[in-house]
């Protein structure tokens, strides 16, 4: 794609192509305002800043961001437990101004509460609309969504963005793992209308489509994009594209602070971050120092736009790669690539191993259909070898194939690897996310 063509097809070209020095100046102005706002109105941040000897006057721009203290979800949970405040001291406006309250997914502990005012609800959709436009969704498209996911903060962004973009929404009020089966079984008449569908649980959906001998290209002749929001290995992308017969467009974000990054149209490995709305820091997991462009570290976000729950230097607990070099698509925003949740990684020797690393080998085998798996994390880290639990249909994995898979993993990762076969159904799912790491 040429840069000129890409710019012409952007939703917010002035922002999306803003020179980085101008973008950082904009971020600095919004950061100064936001730090003063949370210090004055949120007890959690006022206390956190004071305990670390930081005053709002100390922050003049993005270069001063590192002077502010970081915090994580556990800090919010501890504050809530000690004070009884349902919002953990982070609400910056009177509660009666909120138009809705929702919660985090709780995949790493007790869910935290947050919400939006009506004015924020009228603004948040723009972040998601830019993301959807980036991945190729347009007015007049017909898109499938899960009605049961409307408890999730990001789903509110999806809903409002599609409404304002003029995208027709097909809501199926079923659990995430049942959206695709419900689509094919209960509403076959709408299938020819669909341009966009969503993949929430690729393993379950691919198994259903293949076991029922469904050809999505025949059933959904106008389908143009399979939209996902998962950790995307090359093997997973290939499996989904081959099964559905359409391109896969991935997104990466979080409901906690209402943001989403859209897959770069010029390079599927990356997503573009909405840096006019948030600052995205990538920090070394041990030193907490900034990781240079091109490296991998733990993602921290600073909210520059919300009035009600703007978090400052919030540890997302996700390991990401990032790149600020010029992008072929013409966008100047930072690019992020999700590697995996840090607490769900396994450290073998001096490196972290994520589910994507394992999936690249296991899901590439034609004799296996997206088998479920888990990484075994020993209590003492780092550990000497990678251990993987593999759930596959009975008879699908013989002893010889198991050893071959272990050998392939060892060669791919340059680490000693072992595979243990477990029964189908023994790997649990929390919400719509399979638990990819088991602690032992």
């Amino acid at each position: 794609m040429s840069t000129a063509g890409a710019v012409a097809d952007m939703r917010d070209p002035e922002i999306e192509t803003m020179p980085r020095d101008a973008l950082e100046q904009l971020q600095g102005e919004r950061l100064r305002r936001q730090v003063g706002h949370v210090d004055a109105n949120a007890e959690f941040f006022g206390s956190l800043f004071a305990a670390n000897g930081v005053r709002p006057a100390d922050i003049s721009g993005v270069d001063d961001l590192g002077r502010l203290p970081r915090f994580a979800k556990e800090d919010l949970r501890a504050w809530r437990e000690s004070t009884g405040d349902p919002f953990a001291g982070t609400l910056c406006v009177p509660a009666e101004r909120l138009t809705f309250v929702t919660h985090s997914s709780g995949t790493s502990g007790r869910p935290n509460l947050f919400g939006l005012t009506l004015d924020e609800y009228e603004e948040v959709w723009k972040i998601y609309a830019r993301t959807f436009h980036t991945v190729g969704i347009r007015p007049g498209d017909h898109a499938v969504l899960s009605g049961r996911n409307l408890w999730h903060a990001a789903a509110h962004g999806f809903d409002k963005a599609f409404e304002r973009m003029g995208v027709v929404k097909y809501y199926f009020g079923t659990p995430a793992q049942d959206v695709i089966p419900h689509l094919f079984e209960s509403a076959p008449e709408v299938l020819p209308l669909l341009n966009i569908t969503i993949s929430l649980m690729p393993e379950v959906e691919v198994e259903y489509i293949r076991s029922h001998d469904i050809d999505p290209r025949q059933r959904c002749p106008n389908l143009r994009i399979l939209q996902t929001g998962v950790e995307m290995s090359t093997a997973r992308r290939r499996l989904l594209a081959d099964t559905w017969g359409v391109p896969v467009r991935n997104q990466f974000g979080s409901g906690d602070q209402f943001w989403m990054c859209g897959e770069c149209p010029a390079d599927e490995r990356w997503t573009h971050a909405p840096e006019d709305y948030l600052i995205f820091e990538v920090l070394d997991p041990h030193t907490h120092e900034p990781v240079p462009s091109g490296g991998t570290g733990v993602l921290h976000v600073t909210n520059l736009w919300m009035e009600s729950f703007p978090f400052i230097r919030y540890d997302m607990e996700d390991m990401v790669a990032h790149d600020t070099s010029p992008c072929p698509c013409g966008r100047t925003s930072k690019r992020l690539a999700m590697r995996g949740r840090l607490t769900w990684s396994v450290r073998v020797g001096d490196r972290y191993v994520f589910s994507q690393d394992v999936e690249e080998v296991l899901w590439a085998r034609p004799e296996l259909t997206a088998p479920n798996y888990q990484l075994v994390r020993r209590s003492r880290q780092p550990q000497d070898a990678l251990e993987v639990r593999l759930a596959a249909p009975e008879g699908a994995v013989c002893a010889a194939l198991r050893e071959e898979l272990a050998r392939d993993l060892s060669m791919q990762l340059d680490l000693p690897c072992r595979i243990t076969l477990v029964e189908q159904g023994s790997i649990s799912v929390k919400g719509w996310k399979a638990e990819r790491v088991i602690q032992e």
Side-chain angles (χ1 to χ4, degrees):
M1 177 183 294
S2 68
T3 299
V7 171
D9 200 28
M10 293 178 190
R11 183 176 178 85
D12 304 307
E14 183 177 351
I15 289 293
E16 294 181 73
T17 62
M18 181 178 288
R20 287 212 60 83
D21 57 351
L23 177 58
E24 290 176 1
Q25 181 178 349
L26 175 65
Q27 289 179 323
E29 294 168 358
R30 295 178 175 178
L31 175 64
R32 288 196 302 272
R33 183 182 66 240
Q34 202 71 298
V35 169
H37 173 60
V38 300
D39 182 73
N41 296 288
E43 189 177 356
F44 175 85
F45 287 108
S47 298
L48 186 63
F49 293 170
N52 287 271
V54 180
R55 301 169 303 166
D58 298 331
I59 308 303
S60 60
V62 291
D63 289 341
D64 295 321
L65 186 62
R67 302 181 66 176
L68 294 164
R70 301 171 298 103
F71 78 100
K73 297 176 184 180
E74 280 305 315
D75 297 311
L76 299 181
R77 294 173 185 133
W79 186 281
R80 185 171 58 181
E81 291 294 332
S82 65
T83 66
D85 180 352
F87 303 120
T90 61
L91 178 60
C92 292
V93 300
E96 55 267 25
R97 284 192 55 197
L98 298 173
T99 192
F100 73 83
V101 173
T102 184
H103 57 84
S104 60
S105 61
T107 51
S108 62
R110 188 180 175 195
N112 290 308
L113 301 176
F114 44 85
L116 292 175
T117 65
L118 183 58
D119 289 341
E120 290 168 341
Y121 198 27
E122 292 299 328
E123 180 69 23
V124 70
W125 70 269
K126 298 174 186 177
I127 301 174
Y128 291 83
R130 185 188 300 171
T131 296
F132 295 143
H133 191 93
T134 301
V135 301
I137 299 175
R138 296 293 183 268
D141 279 340
H142 293 242
V144 173
L145 297 168
S146 169
R148 288 278 184 91
N149 282 355
L150 280 175
W151 64 267
H152 195 282
H156 289 276
F158 275 56
D159 180 79
K160 182 65 74 170
F162 281 162
E163 173 188 311
R164 294 302 179 87
M165 292 174 69
V167 174
V168 182
K169 300 170 288 189
Y170 290 77
Y171 274 118
F172 286 82
T174 56
Q177 65 267 25
D178 295 332
V179 169
I180 297 305
H182 194 182
L183 172 67
F184 283 105
E185 293 172 9
S186 68
E189 295 82 5
V190 308
L191 294 175
L193 299 175
L194 300 179
N195 309 113
I196 315 295
T197 191
I198 189 168
S199 177
L200 296 169
M201 298 190 68
E203 304 94 316
V204 174
E205 295 154 4
V206 168
E207 193 281 330
Y208 170 83
I209 289 171
R210 291 186 172 181
S211 65
H212 287 74
D213 198 25
I214 293 172
D215 184 350
R217 286 157 289 202
Q218 290 185 352
R219 301 279 193 96
C220 312
N222 292 309
L223 193 65
R224 196 175 75 251
I225 294 172
L226 181 68
Q227 174 185 272
T228 67
V230 298
E231 296 171 21
M232 185 62 68
S233 65
T234 303
R236 180 184 290 253
R237 185 185 294 275
R238 183 169 55 248
L239 175 69
L240 289 173
D242 289 348
T243 300
W244 284 91
V246 295
V248 177
R249 296 290 179 257
N250 201 34
Q251 298 160 176
F252 164 51
S254 173
D256 288 33
Q257 288 290 281
F258 297 92
W259 58 271
M260 191 68 66
C261 303
E263 183 175 287
C264 177
D267 191 338
E268 64 187 21
R269 298 172 300 173
W270 297 101
T271 62
H272 281 279
E275 289 190 277
D276 51 323
Y277 284 97
L278 300 100
I279 298 175
F280 296 83
E281 293 181 274
V282 180
L283 306 180
D284 184 279
H286 302 294
T287 67
H288 309 304
E289 292 297 317
V291 173
S293 176
T296 298
V298 182
L299 180 64
H300 290 66
V301 300
T302 293
N303 194 300
L304 301 175
W305 72 277
M306 287 177 67
E307 183 185 10
S308 58
F309 290 95
F311 290 175
I312 307 294
R313 301 201 81 195
Y314 179 40
D315 184 351
M316 297 301 305
E317 303 178 352
D318 293 321
M319 288 283 280
V320 300
H322 75 130
D323 193 344
T324 57
S325 64
C327 182
C329 79
R331 292 170 175 84
T332 55
S333 55
K334 178 176 292 189
R335 288 172 284 169
L336 301 173
M338 175 67 163
R339 294 287 293 121
R341 184 65 58 89
L342 180 60
T343 55
W344 294 349
S345 66
V346 173
R347 194 174 182 194
V348 182
D350 60 355
R351 64 171 295 183
Y352 292 94
V353 180
F354 298 92
S355 61
Q356 291 185 59
D357 302 319
V358 173
E359 200 169 274
E360 291 288 8
V361 173
L362 299 184
W363 282 26
R365 299 299 297 237
E367 59 269 64
L368 302 175
T369 303
N372 220 342
Y373 64 91
Q374 277 181 326
L375 284 63
V376 179
R377 189 177 193 273
R378 298 296 179 188
S379 57
R380 190 177 185 87
Q381 293 285 294
Q383 56 197 58
D384 295 331
L386 176 65
E387 301 176 40
V388 177
R389 302 172 76 234
L390 176 64
E394 187 175 350
V397 180
C398 61
L401 180 55
R402 182 187 64 186
E403 293 303 316
E404 187 176 335
L405 290 170
R407 186 169 60 251
D408 290 348
L409 270 176
S410 296
M411 292 179 61
Q412 176 80 11
L413 302 176
D414 194 24
L415 296 170
C417 301
R418 296 189 292 271
I419 291 179
T420 302
L421 300 182
V422 298
E423 294 182 0
Q424 287 281 1
S426 64
I427 297 177
S428 60
V429 173
K430 194 171 186 178
W432 66 82
K433 301 177 182 179
E435 294 192 34
R436 290 299 184 203
V437 174
I438 185 172
Q439 183 76 39
E440 286 191 354

